[in-house]
């Protein structure tokens, strides 16, 4: 028998080589996380028990799309202008969407911003190499905190300035976005049926932003 084995003439079972395979559960779990979060962080996958190495594999396979450093969404999920707001907030969660981006979200402008306009505190980190272009405007105190609403976009709670606060902020930063854009936003806001509460809000936010004198002639002409 030993001689036959040496000559390779003895029948024997073929060798089975074990190759590493991706656990089917990781793929499905990653898809479920991305679907639930809309835009998921690496830590979201960690919490679900999905190793980071599989995120790269799923991205290469076209299942996930990396939209930022450590940020992923399903490749086949719909994407529009509002999705960029969610992506920006995922990148910098302390930011508040405002000015041109908020005007567009509230249908108060015909402008199409090429970047996401975000209000940030004086010491908050400003993203500089994000896949979504972010235009940072510094604000503080009540000017940053008040008049902020939360809207769910792609399963992400996105802080956005209210219509009235957005318009007032545009007057405050008129040198950055243009007075004509601010006036257009005010005019469109005043055409809405619920404009009376908006007027009260406008004056309150104008006091916070210290633009009562600037806004007064435009408000008086429209009321």
């Amino acid at each position: 028998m030993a001689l036959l084995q040496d000559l390779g003439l003895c029948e024997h079972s073929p060798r089975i080589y074990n190759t590493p395979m991706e656990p089917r559960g990781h793929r499905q779990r990653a898809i479920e996380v991305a679907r639930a979060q809309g835009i998921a962080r690496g830590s979201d996958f960690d919490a679900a028990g999905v190793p980071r190495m599989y995120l790269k594999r799923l991205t290469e396979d076209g299942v996930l799309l990396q939209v930022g450093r450590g940020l992923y969404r399903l490749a086949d999920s719909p994407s529009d202008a509002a999705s960029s707001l969610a992506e920006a907030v995922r990148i910098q969660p302390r930011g508040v969407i405002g000015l041109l981006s908020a005007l567009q979200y509230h249908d108060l402008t015909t402008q199409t911003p090429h970047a996401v306009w975000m209000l940030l505190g004086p010491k908050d980190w400003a993203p500089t190499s994000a896949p979504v272009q972010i235009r940072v405007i510094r604000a503080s105190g009540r000017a940053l905190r008040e008049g902020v609403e939360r809207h769910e976009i792609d399963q992400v709670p996105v802080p956005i300035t209210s219509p009235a606060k957005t318009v007032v902020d545009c007057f405050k930063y008129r040198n950055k976005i243009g007075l004509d854009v601010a006036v257009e936003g005010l005019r469109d806001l005043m055409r809405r049926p619920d404009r009376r509460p908006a007027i009260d809000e406008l004056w309150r936010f104008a006091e916070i932003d210290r633009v009562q004198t600037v806004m007064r002639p435009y408000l008086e002409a429209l009321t």
Side-chain angles (χ1 to χ4, degrees):
M1 178 66 71
L3 179 60
L4 292 176
Q5 289 177 340
D6 291 340
L7 295 174
L9 299 177
C10 181
E11 293 185 0
H12 56 81
S13 300
R15 293 182 181 178
I16 299 176
Y17 296 91
N18 292 323
T19 57
M21 297 182 66
E22 176 185 339
R24 296 179 64 182
H26 288 335
R27 180 187 181 93
Q28 186 58 36
R29 206 171 301 150
I31 292 174
E32 291 172 355
V33 169
R35 182 175 292 117
Q37 296 293 332
I39 299 174
R41 295 178 177 275
S43 57
D44 296 326
F45 295 103
D46 292 342
V50 180
R52 297 286 181 105
M53 60 180 291
Y54 291 109
L55 301 182
K56 181 178 180 181
R57 184 177 301 178
L58 293 175
T59 301
E60 292 173 348
D61 290 345
V63 177
L64 295 179
L65 180 65
Q66 186 169 4
V67 297
R69 185 175 181 180
L71 297 175
Y72 301 85
R73 66 175 174 84
L74 290 175
D76 60 357
S77 62
S79 179
D80 54 19
S83 295
S84 64
L85 307 184
E87 292 178 22
V89 169
R90 274 295 203 175
I91 294 169
Q92 173 45 288
R94 297 178 65 86
V96 176
I97 304 301
L99 298 168
L100 280 178
S101 294
L103 280 178
Q104 183 186 43
Y105 183 82
H106 294 304
D107 292 325
L108 293 173
T109 184
T110 56
Q111 302 289 320
T112 302
H114 299 293
V116 175
W117 288 67
M118 176 180 284
L119 301 175
L120 278 178
K123 297 182 179 180
D124 289 333
W125 164 71
T128 55
S129 58
V132 178
Q133 186 177 353
I134 299 176
R135 177 73 183 273
V136 171
I137 300 296
R138 298 293 180 178
S140 61
R142 296 176 67 196
L144 178 63
R145 296 191 308 268
E146 296 201 22
V148 178
E149 305 172 340
R150 292 192 177 273
H151 299 266
E152 186 170 296
I153 302 173
D154 294 341
Q155 290 80 52
V156 177
V158 178
I160 304 176
T161 53
S162 68
K165 179 62 160 56
T166 300
V167 169
V168 173
D169 283 349
C170 287
F171 275 92
K172 179 178 181 179
Y173 297 102
R174 60 193 180 279
N175 292 335
K176 296 183 181 294
I177 68 169
L179 180 60
D180 57 327
V181 175
V183 173
E184 177 191 31
L186 176 62
R187 184 178 63 247
D188 289 349
L189 179 63
M190 297 304 293
R191 287 174 177 170
R192 294 185 173 182
D194 56 344
R195 71 174 189 163
R196 177 52 57 185
I199 293 175
D200 297 335
E201 286 187 278
L202 285 167
W203 282 121
R204 183 167 70 88
F205 294 133
E207 181 181 0
I208 292 173
D209 280 355
R210 300 178 181 179
V211 290
Q212 304 102 306
T213 302
V214 175
M215 292 189 64
R216 187 179 301 278
Y218 298 100
L219 267 173
E220 290 177 348
L222 292 170
T223 55

